[in-house]
């Protein structure tokens, strides 16, 4: 897929939580095609500590408004600077990068569960919306520390049935996503996950035990996004690969995780 360097303009920078922002960007041209699960690399200007671009999952693409949404967790200098962008600011973005989630062929016979933990919920919103647009009825399972950490819940609920777990029990069921009762109560044909690696490994164990196909979106550290720096290498059954070019989405059968 062709990659682009585009100067994009900030439409809105919302702050639903002190640790998160939702950056909405537009361009003077039609946005290129983006596959759910892909990511972008954002150039962060104005700081001597941000000479490398920052990788961010595609959170949502609003084709009518010609907007790209990025859900960003503020963890360092680069993401802090991004959280300070204001409407009208211009941001240079490289996109789209990586490979996305696999999609079944027959919507009517597929029960799909999209699982996101923390900021790993980000790619699931666009993926769910895309699935819905082609005839699927995706369901979501979102995990967070508390109710305040569950991002974009109204948007998920508009797209499909949404289940929630929180570690403190302040919203949904108490515990981790793999503790949710829906996993025992309902049979899913495919599962997709993005979030902290321990969470994804737990989801992978559940999927393998149930004989369910499972894709996971890895969050390895990425610097270049083009496979040149080798800092995101992951061991797979076919050898070491760069997550930024061969992923970030992998079927669990491609990985060497001890499930």
């Amino acid at each position: 897929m062709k990659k682009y360097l585009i100067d994009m303009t900030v439409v809105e920078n919302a702050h639903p939580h002190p640790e998160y922002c939702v950056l909405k960007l537009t361009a003077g041209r039609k946005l290129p095609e983006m596959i759910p699960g892909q990511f972008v690399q954002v150039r962060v200007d104005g700081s001597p500590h941000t000479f490398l671009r920052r990788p961010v999952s595609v959170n949502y693409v609003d084709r009518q408004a010609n907007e790209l949404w990025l859900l960003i967790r503020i963890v360092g200098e680069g993401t802090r600077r991004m959280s300070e962008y204001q409407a009208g600011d211009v941001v240079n973005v490289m996109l789209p990068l990586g490979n996305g989630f696999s999609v079944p062929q027959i919507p009517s016979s597929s029960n799909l569960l999209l699982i996101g933990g923390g900021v790993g919920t980000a790619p699931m919103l666009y993926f769910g919306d895309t699935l819905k647009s082609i005839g699927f009825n995706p369901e979501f399972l979102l995990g967070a520390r508390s109710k305040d950490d569950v991002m974009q819940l109204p948007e998920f609920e508009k797209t499909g049935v949404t289940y929630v777990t929180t570690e403190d029990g302040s919203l949904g069921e108490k515990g981790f996503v793999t503790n949710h009762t829906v996993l025992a109560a309902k049979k899913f044909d495919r599962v997709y996950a993005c979030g902290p690696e321990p969470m994804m490994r737990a989801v992978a164990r559940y999927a393998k035990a149930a004989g369910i196909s499972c894709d996971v979106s890895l969050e390895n550290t990425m610097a270049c996004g083009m496979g040149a720096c080798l800092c995101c290498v992951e061991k797979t059954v076919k050898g070491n690969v760069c997550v930024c070019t061969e992923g970030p989405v992998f079927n669990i059968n491609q990985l060497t995780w001890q499930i």
Side-chain angles (χ1 to χ4, degrees):
M1 182 175 288
K2 187 175 180 180
K3 300 172 178 61
Y4 301 84
L5 280 174
I6 303 177
D7 283 334
M8 305 190 72
T9 302
V10 176
V11 176
E12 180 184 357
N13 193 357
H15 291 76
H17 184 284
E19 294 181 10
Y20 291 88
C21 69
V22 180
L23 195 60
K24 298 183 180 181
L25 306 171
T26 191
R29 47 164 292 176
K30 182 181 178 180
L31 292 176
E33 186 65 30
M34 285 173 266
I35 298 171
Q38 290 186 307
F39 67 100
V40 305
Q41 290 274 110
V42 180
R43 192 181 72 202
V44 183
D45 299 322
S47 170
H49 306 293
T50 56
F51 58 93
L52 295 174
R53 291 175 180 264
R54 296 307 195 261
V56 186
S57 295
V58 174
N59 176 220
Y60 187 70
V61 180
D62 185 334
R63 289 293 172 187
Q64 289 189 329
N66 200 43
E67 290 180 359
L68 166 67
W69 296 10
L70 304 176
L71 173 63
I72 299 164
R73 185 180 178 194
I74 305 163
V75 294
E77 176 66 13
T79 50
R80 184 190 64 79
R81 287 282 301 121
M82 293 166 69
S83 74
E84 296 171 347
Y85 290 153
Q86 298 180 7
D89 288 346
V90 176
V91 183
N92 186 265
V93 182
M94 181 189 301
L95 78 170
L97 300 172
N99 298 303
F101 295 106
S102 60
V103 178
Q105 297 298 312
I106 307 173
S108 61
S109 65
S110 297
N111 293 318
L112 309 181
L113 182 64
L114 283 53
I115 304 176
V119 76
T121 61
M124 298 308 178
L125 183 61
Y126 181 40
F127 186 32
D129 183 75
T130 300
L131 289 171
K132 186 177 180 179
S133 72
I134 57 177
F136 290 92
N137 293 303
E139 298 183 33
F140 303 98
L141 175 53
L142 312 180
R145 292 172 296 185
S146 72
K147 64 179 181 179
D148 294 331
D149 299 295
V150 180
M151 297 293 102
Q152 301 178 305
L153 182 57
E155 286 82 359
F156 279 105
E157 291 177 331
K158 290 176 185 176
T159 307
V161 175
T162 303
Y163 312 96
V164 175
T165 64
T166 50
E167 293 177 28
D168 65 0
S170 55
L171 184 66
E173 295 188 11
K174 184 175 182 178
F176 301 116
V177 291
T178 46
N179 302 134
H180 200 286
T181 53
V182 71
L183 298 184
K186 187 168 184 177
K187 172 68 175 177
F188 292 97
D189 299 307
R190 292 199 184 199
V191 175
Y192 304 85
C194 183
E197 185 172 312
M199 184 211 83
M200 290 192 291
R201 285 178 178 265
V203 171
R205 286 192 293 271
Y206 153 77
K208 188 163 187 177
I212 303 170
S213 177
C214 178
D215 284 358
V216 294
S217 179
L218 303 188
E219 295 185 324
N220 296 35
T221 299
M222 301 179 195
C224 71
M226 303 289 288
C229 68
L230 303 180
C231 73
C232 66
V233 169
E234 179 77 18
K235 186 176 182 181
T236 72
V237 295
K238 294 184 178 180
N240 292 336
V241 301
C242 289
V243 170
C244 65
T245 55
E246 302 302 315
V249 177
F250 294 88
N251 187 275
I252 58 172
N253 292 329
Q254 297 174 273
L255 302 173
T256 59
W257 290 356
Q258 298 298 313
I259 300 170

